[in-house]
Amino acid sequence: MLSPQAKLLAERLMCVCGCGDILATCTCTETPGSRDMKKYLQQLVDEGKDPVQVEAAMVARYGEAVRP
């Protein structure tokens, strides 16, 4: 479950499973996919990263495909 802050950030990222959905709404079970990505996103938020740092970390881990 994503915190409200993480959910807002997930609205601005794409899932990399290939479904074409934004991360906030994707429910895929692929690996890597939304479950892995949401877990990592929440971890970054819990660490106190700001939105720019979160996006950079997500791109570093999952590639440019996370950008809409």
Side-chain angles (χ1 to χ4, degrees), residues 8-53:
L8 285 174
L9 294 170
E11 295 280 344
R12 298 173 20 194
L13 298 168
M14 300 298 292
C15 185
V16 297
C17 74
C19 67
D21 288 341
I22 60 169
L23 181 56
T25 60
C26 184
T27 59
C28 72
T29 58
E30 302 294 320
T31 299
S34 68
R35 285 188 299 187
D36 301 324
M37 293 178 72
K38 288 175 182 176
K39 183 177 177 182
Y40 185 56
L41 174 63
Q42 186 62 58
Q43 177 185 332
L44 295 169
V45 170
D46 291 345
E47 291 172 1
K49 306 284 189 211
D50 67 38
V52 173
Q53 292 171 316

Side-chain angles (χ1 to χ4, degrees), residues 12-14 55-56 59 63-68:
R12 298 173 20 194
L13 298 168
M14 300 298 292
E55 182 177 334
V59 169
E64 288 292 327
V66 302
R67 296 181 199 258

